[in-house]
């Protein structure tokens, strides 16, 4: 009993032991996260299919999902059994990893330089990445075909076959090629991050990418010593099977977040801005409904953008004929009082318009019909700043203060 307790205690305090214990199911954690990220992003990709960067992000996420699905020991065993070739999953997984590194590098190049960039340097870089990735993948399969690897290894193939001819070269090739691609991608990201004037969402996305690629470099930094140790007769397999997997998971999740965040963040920001604008118009919209006797009809499948446009259109359509009959002289006095009350000019103008619009609505309800014969007010500012006027209607105490100020000014003028 004591030995069991000691073993459990040692497992609990050893990260490598924890990974080894849950290794068969460990890989499904990042796979699930990546699949969820792809599922969340998929509707946007489908809706904006014409955006090549969104399609590229979807492709990178799809390849990353495939990597973690096929690297799971249960999937490795199934692929080997279906094909009847022991360890054929090795070149397949290495090919997916190489494709992932190459597609990430291509996405960073296109993302940073812009899709319209057809300069010689950019075209040459794209060709080098594509040719290099395809060349490495082809070499991996050739080396595997030449190698003799009859013993199936689900977890420690890299170290088990580290001294086997052709398998040794295949393992070193995939590690070195992907490490080089990761270093180049990291350099591009960190240089880009230092650029001035970046969007906040893009900058945060680049930070996540930076962390992800740092973790990916750490993955190769522990994998290579484990392989090299076998060449010198030492055993550091725990680096490959206990330390490298968490680094790979962290890297994939951070990279996925880094690619998604700028697009998703901007999309959510736009949705939030539209919703705020829609809610901002509510006081003025309700006031115009009292004039019109009805509002915008409800459409079940209307997008937030369409609902906002319809509300803005309704408010302007009702407001324009109403505002043409306001007292322009009174509006000007209200503006001057609002400025005297230390409101900045834009706010003072919104308060003045809010008061005269309320007066016009009240006059229409009482049948007075507004003011005739005076100068027709310029409604350009009113129709352009309906959001500010609606905000002013939310502050009845400020409107009352402006009204009282005009009343006091009129009383003083009459007394004099």
């Amino acid at each position: 009993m004591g030995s069991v307790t000691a073993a459990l205690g040692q497992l609990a305090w050893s990260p490598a032991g924890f990974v080894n214990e849950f290794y068969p199911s460990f890989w499904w954690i990042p796979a699930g996260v990546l699949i969820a990220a792809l599922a969340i992003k998929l509707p946007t990709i489908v809706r904006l299919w014409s955006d090549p960067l969104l399609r590229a992000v979807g492709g990178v996420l799809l390849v990353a999902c495939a990597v973690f699905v096929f690297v799971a020991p249960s999937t490795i065993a199934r692929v080997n059994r279906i094909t009847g070739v022991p360890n054929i999953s090795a070149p397949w997984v290495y090919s997916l990893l190489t494709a992932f590194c190459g597609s990430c590098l291509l996405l960073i190049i296109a993302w940073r330089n812009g899709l319209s960039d057809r300069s010689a340097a950019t075209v040459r870089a794209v060709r080098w990445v594509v040719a290099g990735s395809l060349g490495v993948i082809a070499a991996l399969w050739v080396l595997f075909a030449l190698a003799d690897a009859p013993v199936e290894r689900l977890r420690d193939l890299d170290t088990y076959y580290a001294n086997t001819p052709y398998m040794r070269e295949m393992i070193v090739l995939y590690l070195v090629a992907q490490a080089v691609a990761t270093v180049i991608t990291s350099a591009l990201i960190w240089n880009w991050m230092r650029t001035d004037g970046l969007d906040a969402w893009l900058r945060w996305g680049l930070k996540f990418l930076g962390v992800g690629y740092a973790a990916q470099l750490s993955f190769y930094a522990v994998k290579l010593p484990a392989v090299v140790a076998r060449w010198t007769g030492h055993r550091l397999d725990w680096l490959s099977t206990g330390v490298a997997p968490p680094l790979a998971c962290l890297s994939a999740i951070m990279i996925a977040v880094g690619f998604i965040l700028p697009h998703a963040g901007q999309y959510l920001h736009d949705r939030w801005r539209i919703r705020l604008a829609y809610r901002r118009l509510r006081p003025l919209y309700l006031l115009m409904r009292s004039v019109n006797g009805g509002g915008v009809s409800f459409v079940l499948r209307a997008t937030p953008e369409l609902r906002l446009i319809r509300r803005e259109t309704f408010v302007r359509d009702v407001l324009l004929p109403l505002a043409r009959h306001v007292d322009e002289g009174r509006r000007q006095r209200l503006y001057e009082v609002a400025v005297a009350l230390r409101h900045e000019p834009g706010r003072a103008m919104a308060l003045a318009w809010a008061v005269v619009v309320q007066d016009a609505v009240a006059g229409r309800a009482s049948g007075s019909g507004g003011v005739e014969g005076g100068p027709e007010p310029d409604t350009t500012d009113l129709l352009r700043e309906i959001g500010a006027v609606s905000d002013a209607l939310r502050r009845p105490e400020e409107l009352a203060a402006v009204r009282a100020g005009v009343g006091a000014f009129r009383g003083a003028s009459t007394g004099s």
Side-chain angles (χ1 to χ4, degrees):
M1 183 68 179
S3 60
V4 173
T5 304
L8 290 174
Q10 182 179 4
L11 177 63
W13 288 101
S14 171
F18 176 83
V19 174
N20 287 331
E21 178 70 15
F22 295 100
Y23 194 94
S25 57
F26 186 83
W27 299 99
W28 294 106
I29 298 173
V33 173
L34 290 168
I35 291 172
L38 182 59
I40 293 171
K41 195 66 180 173
L42 191 59
T44 304
I45 295 173
V46 173
R47 186 173 62 255
L48 302 176
W49 184 252
S50 59
D51 188 339
L53 282 179
L54 278 177
R55 294 201 306 269
V57 170
V60 168
L61 289 176
L62 185 61
V63 175
C65 292
V67 168
F68 283 97
V69 168
F70 282 99
V71 81
S74 57
T75 309
I76 291 174
R78 187 173 295 110
V79 171
N80 292 340
R81 184 172 62 253
I82 291 174
T83 60
V85 180
N87 300 310
I88 197 172
S89 284
W92 172 242
V93 171
Y94 298 161
S95 297
L96 288 174
L97 283 168
T98 303
F100 174 72
C101 291
S103 59
C104 287
L105 184 52
L106 286 174
L107 181 54
I108 291 296
I109 292 172
W111 197 3
R112 179 177 181 178
N113 297 346
L115 295 172
S116 60
D117 183 13
R118 294 292 184 269
S119 64
T122 300
V123 172
R124 186 164 55 250
V126 170
R127 287 176 178 174
W128 272 105
V129 172
V130 173
S133 299
L134 293 177
V136 169
I137 291 173
L140 290 173
W141 286 98
V142 170
L143 290 170
F144 179 77
L146 295 173
D148 183 21
V151 180
E152 182 182 61
R153 309 301 299 183
L154 303 181
R155 296 176 51 178
D156 60 347
L157 183 139
D158 292 347
T159 51
Y160 185 86
Y161 285 109
N163 289 311
T164 302
Y166 299 112
M167 287 293 287
R168 173 183 57 231
E169 286 76 12
M170 182 187 73
I171 294 166
V172 172
L173 174 62
Y174 102 84
L175 288 174
V176 171
Q178 292 167 26
V180 170
T182 303
V183 169
I184 295 173
T185 307
S186 299
L188 290 175
I189 290 171
W190 289 110
N191 287 336
W192 190 6
M193 198 183 303
R194 289 194 291 267
T195 304
D196 295 330
L198 292 181
D199 175 76
W201 291 109
L202 175 57
R203 190 175 296 277
W204 274 105
L206 292 175
K207 288 180 180 179
F208 275 99
L209 287 174
V211 173
Y213 280 102
Q216 190 165 320
L217 283 174
S218 301
F219 170 83
Y220 301 120
V222 298
K223 272 281 188 178
L224 279 169
V227 172
V228 173
R230 282 295 189 114
W231 299 349
T232 59
H234 298 85
R235 294 180 65 91
L236 295 176
D237 295 9
W238 61 273
L239 286 174
S240 178
T241 59
V243 179
L247 293 173
C249 295
L250 175 64
S251 170
I253 293 173
M254 291 295 102
I255 290 173
V257 171
F259 280 130
I260 290 174
L261 189 60
H263 298 282
Q266 189 60 50
Y267 173 79
L268 293 176
H269 175 74
D270 291 342
R271 297 282 77 72
W272 181 248
R273 180 180 54 80
I274 290 171
R275 288 186 179 275
L276 284 180
Y278 184 80
R279 290 177 60 86
R280 187 187 188 193
L281 284 177
R282 178 174 173 79
L284 187 56
Y285 169 71
L286 293 177
L287 186 61
M288 294 302 99
R289 281 187 61 179
S290 68
V291 174
N292 193 59
V296 178
S297 59
F298 177 74
V299 179
L300 181 63
R301 302 187 64 180
T303 63
E305 294 91 342
L306 180 58
R307 287 199 294 268
L308 175 60
I309 292 172
R310 296 182 71 204
R311 175 167 284 191
E312 289 175 338
T313 303
F314 173 82
V315 167
R316 290 191 176 100
D317 287 347
V318 180
L319 192 58
L320 181 58
L322 185 70
R324 285 175 177 164
H325 300 285
V326 303
D327 185 343
E328 175 61 12
R330 175 172 167 77
R331 189 192 68 80
Q332 185 61 35
R333 290 192 300 272
L334 287 164
Y335 170 77
E336 293 170 356
V337 169
V339 171
L341 291 174
R342 300 183 183 278
H343 292 289
E344 54 90 18
R347 179 65 173 173
M349 183 173 293
L351 289 168
W353 271 114
V355 171
V356 295
V357 167
Q358 283 182 329
D359 292 346
V361 172
R364 179 186 176 95
S366 63
S368 61
V371 177
E372 299 292 344
E376 184 172 318
D378 183 0
T379 59
T380 303
D381 291 332
L382 171 63
L383 298 180
R384 184 176 62 242
E385 301 296 337
I386 55 176
V389 174
S390 187
D391 282 339
L393 292 172
R394 294 179 182 274
R395 298 297 183 91
E397 70 281 0
E398 293 183 0
L399 298 178
V402 174
R403 287 180 185 274
V406 171
F409 175 79
R410 180 179 298 173
S413 300
T414 303
S416 62

